[in-house]
Structure formats: C-alpha cells, structure tokens
Amino acid sequence: MGLVLHVASELAPLAKAGGLGDVVYGLSKELIKLGQEVLLVLPKYRHLKTEEISSLHCTFKKTFHLADSRPFEVFFWKGSYQGISLILIDPQSPEAIFQRESIYGEADDIDRFLLFCFLTVEYLSLYPPLCSSLHLHDWPTAFIAYLCKKYYFNKLPRYKIILTIHNILHQGRALPQHLVRFGIELTPDLEDPAESRLINLLKSGLLCADHIVTVSPTYAREITTHAFGYHLNSVLAAHPEKLSGILNGIDLNYWNPKSDPALVMHYSPSDAVTAIIKAKEKNKAHLQHILHLPISSAPLVGCITRLDTQKGPHLIAHAIATILEKGGQCVLLGQVADPNIHKEFLLLKERYAKNPSFHFHDRFNETLARIIYAAADFIIIPSLFEPCGLTQMIAMRYATIPIVRTTGGLADTVHDIDNTAVPSEKKVGICFHDMNQEQLDHALDRAFHLYQDKIALQKTLKNIARQDFSWKESAKKYLKLYQS
Ligand code: ADP
C-alpha cells in the first residue's frame, strides 16, 4: 500500500471555503478506496470541526525563532478523519495565525500561509513520512515546492512534487519583505511576472514542481494563453511537458438525490425517466411553495453561485430578465463579496419585487441549494472562466439540465444537445460560446424550446443519467502521476 502526502489549506467539510476543500476530500477518499494511505497536512484553524476528528492528540511541540519575532511554540497534532490521516499545524502566540474566524481574507494571509509552508517542511524534515510524492494545492501551499528544492534539499527525501492549480487567479502576490523573517533571499524565480517589485508564491511553486495539474483539460490549455493565464501563461507555456488537466469529480454519496434529506421526493439516475420527472415536479412544487413562487409548470431556471466577476454577474442579471420575459421562473442563490456587485443585485431584487416568479437569496445556504438542484429544470452558469466547476456536475446528478458558457471544465463536462461532433449519448446541455447577451438569449430560447419538446427533453435527461461524475477515473489518473 502506497502513501500519498497532501498539503492543503482546506478539507471539506471540516474546513471549507470553496471547491478546493471538496476536491481534497473527494480525491483523498477515492485514493483510499484504491488502496492508498493518505496523509494530509492542514492548519489547525480555530473553527476546524475537531469534534469530528478521531484520535486527535498533540504529538509534539517545538519552539521556533524567526528573524523578527519572539520565540513561539508550535503544537503538531495527529488525528484521522474518515480514514484520512491528519497532521494539524498549530502555532501559538505571538504567531497564533490560525486562531481566526476565516480561512482566507485576513490582511496577513501571505504571512499566515508562508509560515504554514515553513512549518510543514520543518515537520517533514523531522519526521519524513515514507512516501515518494508530495501533492500541493494552490498558492497557499505552492511555496513548499520552492522550499523543498532550494532550501531543504539535503534535509528532505527527494519528493516528486505535484501542484494542482484550482484557480490561477489567486497567486499569493506580495512585497518581498514577507520573506525576510524566514531568511529567504529574493531570486528571479520568486519575482511576479506582472510587477517586478512583488513576489509571486504560485509562480515559485510552478517552477519547482515536477508536475502541474489543473482541474480540467480545457482549463489546462486556457491558462497557457494571455486571456486566462493572469500573467503566468508564459511560465506555464515554457514547461508544457509538466502541465496536464485532470477533471475534478464529485462525491456521489454527498450529492445523492436518492437520500438527500432536503428533498421532498427522492429519485435516482437509475429510475425511469418518467419517474425522475415526476419526482422533480414534486420538488419543484415544494420550492415554489417555500419561496412563494406561483405554483406552475413554467420552466424553472436556477443559478447557484458566488456572484463574482468570474461567474459572469452581468450575464446572470440579463438571463433573469430574459427568463421572466419568456414566462419562466428564476431562483438565484448567490453570495456576494464585492460591494458593487452586491448593490447591483439588490437593485435587481427591488426591480423585480412585484414579480413573484423571481427569487433572490444572497447568502450561502446549502439546504436551499439542494432543493434548487432537485427542483430546477435548468441551471445557468455563464462563467467568464471556470477551472472545473462543480455546480454543473451536481446539477446533472440531480437531473437538471445545464446551460453553460463553453469554458474550462464546463466545456469538458457539458456537450450541447445539437453538437454533431459528439456521440448522441453525450449530449446533455445547452452551450454558448461568447460572453454576450445575444448568445445567452439564443441559449435560453433553445432551453425553453427543449422544455416544450417532451421527447427531446426525456432523451437529454436519459443522457444526463448515464454520465459518471465520480472521482473514480480522475483519482486513477492522479495515482498514475504519483507512481510514474
Ligand atoms: P467555485 O468553487 O468557483 O465557487 P464551483 O462550481 O467549483 O465554483 O463550486 C461551487 C460550490 O459551491 C457548489 O457546491 C455549489 O453548490 C456551492 N455554492 C455556491 N454558491 C452557493 C450558495 N450561495 N449557497 C450554497 N451553495 C453554494
């Protein structure tokens, strides 16, 4: 049995801010099914759900002394969560940087995750686990690759380092002063490609990793271009042999319309399509009831998203107008971080205050998300870019037809019902290519038309039921990479 070592800033559901947490959890679980042992190094956040971790105990304590701070103690904890072995890193005052409310979004995030990287390699040099691969995730842990190759090469085993990019927009860019306390010198490998006065932690990891994986094959190609690479495209394009795309999966137990407690009527992809439609109608009536929408068989389009520039908020707003004009219903579940975008959507809510066919909920609410996935006829995802996207896969797991812009993982998982280049059984959704209102309107026209054409609708739902979005194949691809 092999051992795979992950270092990450999230693990769903113990400490989750987004898709990264789901991926670390889902991939680890599947690797365990494939006979691997998984060891994950994670910060011990204050809000980490420690009550769910078994055999949690502090294995040892060590005092560290950085150039600019008083000595501080670090507790290293061990435990296990659903078969995943954990090492939790817990620095104490005056460096108690994980005793905060959130995982990201603190003013000193760069310092927090630099210290996490440093303490991780210190731990690994003291207690090197018996494994050959080290798997890192996004900028918070990418710098570990740089530390391993440049500073700890004679203190650590020669790991094969895999770095997964979950979203290249976030790179860990900062002033070089942050490195001084660790005694790290500034080198060209650390320099940000857009602003030479900054460092870029993701870039340092990309240069030092042996394999770079991103979360879908299309996104792997897109990030080598100027439009999607956010200035790291040339770094990636210079090492094409290192870069590949492995599609994320979803946890089929976690997202299961057969057992989901949020649903009023359960169903399964293996049911007859007429039974699936009937169960969805019941869930639709339930959603209409709880949100005070008219009880009607009009097509219902859901949108479940962070309302952020990446997700195409202007096209989402336009889609709402079009759906309502066409006599459909629309439910938007979208949390907003940007105050300007928030203001726009509150105005939109006001504009449609008298239209009962629209509902906007501006918080994160997983129970409501589950009911929408089950109730909606369509889910709309007009993203500017989408590294993989879980929403479309979850929607299809709940027999909801995705309407997507063909980018990143959306392009890899949703094939258009009219696409003649793919086999008929792969046609599962409605796609549009350009980020504009005309193409979006045309996609909605086609969706409404499909909704009226019961034979074509049933055929599409049958195709959706046949898709496999589990981690099975993707975990095997990662395993091959670890073993190559
Ligand atoms: P990203 O990670 O870029 O936000 P993904 O499509 O990869 O987008 O994953 C989004 C996940 O977050 C999905 O599980 C989706 O159901 C969930 N989600 C997004 N917004 C909300 C919300 N407001 N309430 C509940 N769940 C949400």
Side-chain angles (χ1 to χ4, degrees):
M1 187 153 82
L3 172 72
V4 182
L5 173 61
H6 283 264
V7 188
S9 49
E10 297 180 41
L11 172 68
L14 302 185
K16 172 178 164 173
L20 194 159
D22 287 321
V23 172
V24 173
Y25 171 78
L27 174 60
S28 299
K29 294 282 290 181
E30 193 64 36
L31 287 169
I32 292 169
K33 270 195 213 156
L34 292 173
Q36 296 298 299
E37 231 183 293
V38 176
L39 175 64
L40 167 67
V41 185
L42 190 75
K44 189 168 183 290
Y45 301 108
R46 182 163 70 194
H47 61 272
L48 192 77
K49 296 177 185 157
T50 45
E51 65 283 2
E52 294 187 30
I53 300 175
S54 39
S55 316
L56 184 64
H57 62 284
C58 181
T59 98
F60 83 107
K61 300 173 182 178
K62 186 172 176 340
T63 301
F64 289 88
H65 196 165
L66 299 179
D68 64 347
S69 76
R70 284 187 281 130
F72 62 98
E73 220 175 1
V74 179
F75 297 177
F76 293 86
W77 300 75
K78 271 190 177 173
S80 159
Y81 179 68
Q82 295 192 9
I84 306 167
S85 302
L86 300 175
I87 301 289
L88 304 175
I89 297 194
D90 185 18
Q92 304 295 302
S93 176
E95 295 288 336
I97 41 147
F98 294 118
Q99 300 304 312
R100 308 281 179 80
E101 288 313 314
S102 52
I103 296 180
Y104 316 112
E106 303 284 335
D108 58 351
D109 276 358
I110 296 283
D111 296 313
R112 296 167 73 222
F113 288 106
L114 272 175
L115 185 59
F116 176 59
C117 290
F118 169 76
L119 294 173
T120 298
V121 285
E122 279 289 320
Y123 174 84
L124 296 179
S125 65
L126 291 169
Y127 298 99
L130 279 178
C131 66
S132 52
S133 296
L134 171 58
H135 192 160
L136 310 173
H137 299 268
D138 270 353
W139 78 265
T141 55
F143 189 62
I144 289 173
Y146 187 84
L147 287 174
C148 287
K149 292 273 162 83
K150 309 279 179 180
Y151 284 84
Y152 284 76
F153 52 88
N154 54 7
K155 290 192 193 158
L156 287 173
R158 168 77 178 88
Y159 292 120
K160 177 191 295 174
I161 300 182
I162 292 113
L163 171 58
T164 294
I165 305 173
H166 298 259
N167 189 334
I168 206 166
L169 183 61
H170 309 294
Q171 301 181 359
R173 301 167 74 226
L175 290 167
Q177 284 88 302
H178 293 271
L179 298 172
V180 175
R181 61 195 322 229
F182 301 101
I184 308 278
E185 282 169 19
L186 198 57
T187 63
D189 282 359
L190 285 163
E191 205 174 89
D192 182 64
E195 272 186 83
S196 57
R197 65 184 186 94
L198 299 181
I199 56 164
N200 184 312
L201 299 179
L202 181 60
K203 177 189 153 188
S204 72
L206 296 178
L207 290 174
C208 294
D210 299 294
H211 292 285
I212 302 162
V213 178
T214 189
V215 290
S216 70
T218 297
Y219 193 59
R221 285 191 297 278
E222 287 174 343
I223 56 176
T224 61
T225 67
H226 177 69
F228 293 99
Y230 290 90
H231 301 287
L232 288 177
N233 43 299
S234 40
V235 176
L236 292 164
H239 300 279
E241 74 294 345
K242 290 210 298 195
L243 177 64
S244 62
I246 300 179
L247 199 65
N248 284 338
I250 55 170
D251 189 303
L252 299 187
N253 287 323
Y254 193 78
W255 298 108
N256 190 353
K258 200 170 178 181
S259 54
D260 194 324
L263 276 48
V264 290
M265 188 162 175
H266 292 124
Y267 55 102
S268 152
S270 58
D271 290 345
V273 71
T274 45
I276 293 177
I277 291 173
K278 201 166 163 214
K280 282 186 69 73
E281 279 169 2
K282 292 265 186 227
N283 287 299
K284 185 171 175 175
H286 175 58
L287 181 74
Q288 288 167 333
H289 174 70
I290 59 173
L291 299 184
H292 310 293
L293 301 172
I295 304 288
S296 135
S297 62
L300 194 155
V301 184
C303 183
I304 301 169
T305 187
R306 289 183 289 117
L307 281 168
D308 166 296
T309 315
Q310 175 194 336
K311 304 291 181 180
H314 295 105
L315 285 188
I316 291 172
H318 181 77
I320 293 163
T322 306
I323 292 160
L324 297 176
E325 265 167 34
K326 292 166 103 45
Q329 298 187 344
C330 184
V331 176
L332 169 62
L333 173 59
Q335 73 279 30
V336 202
D338 180 320
N340 290 325
I341 298 180
H342 200 192
K343 213 160 102 193
E344 279 174 43
F345 276 85
L346 289 179
L347 281 173
L348 192 123
K349 189 175 180 169
E350 232 174 83
R351 194 177 324 138
Y352 294 117
K354 293 214 171 80
N355 190 332
S357 294
F358 173 60
H359 184 90
F360 173 37
H361 185 87
D362 66 351
R363 295 274 184 278
F364 188 93
N365 182 335
E366 191 164 300
T367 304
L368 183 55
R370 289 172 179 277
I371 304 171
I372 299 171
Y373 282 125
D377 301 295
F378 299 95
I379 205 98
I380 187 149
I381 316 170
S383 301
L384 176 64
F385 68 93
E386 197 60 73
C388 176
L390 301 177
T391 315
Q392 79 283 10
M393 294 195 264
I394 302 167
M396 288 190 270
R397 175 86 175 130
Y398 284 69
T400 300
I401 299 171
I403 304 171
V404 307
R405 193 178 94 73
T406 45
T407 180
L410 296 174
D412 293 333
T413 52
V414 183
H415 299 292
D416 192 275
I417 51 168
D418 292 330
N419 184 347
T420 50
V422 294
S424 140
E425 67 275 10
K426 292 216 155 142
K427 300 176 182 182
V428 292
I430 311 255
C431 305
F432 64 99
H433 190 266
D434 294 338
M435 260 332 256
N436 65 44
Q437 298 182 352
E438 292 71 33
Q439 290 214 359
L440 176 68
D441 283 346
H442 183 55
L444 285 168
D445 269 349
R446 292 169 57 225
F448 274 59
H449 191 260
L450 175 68
Y451 188 73
Q452 300 308 332
D453 182 345
K454 297 301 170 203
I455 292 173
L457 183 71
Q458 290 196 10
K459 199 168 147 210
T460 307
L461 291 176
K462 274 187 196 159
N463 288 345
I464 285 179
R466 280 197 207 108
Q467 307 301 309
D468 177 8
F469 296 115
S470 71
W471 266 104
K472 220 165 159 184
E473 292 311 312
S474 299
K476 280 187 198 150
K477 288 183 187 159
Y478 271 111
L479 192 55
K480 216 166 148 190
L481 210 55
Y482 304 144
Q483 293 172 341
S484 65

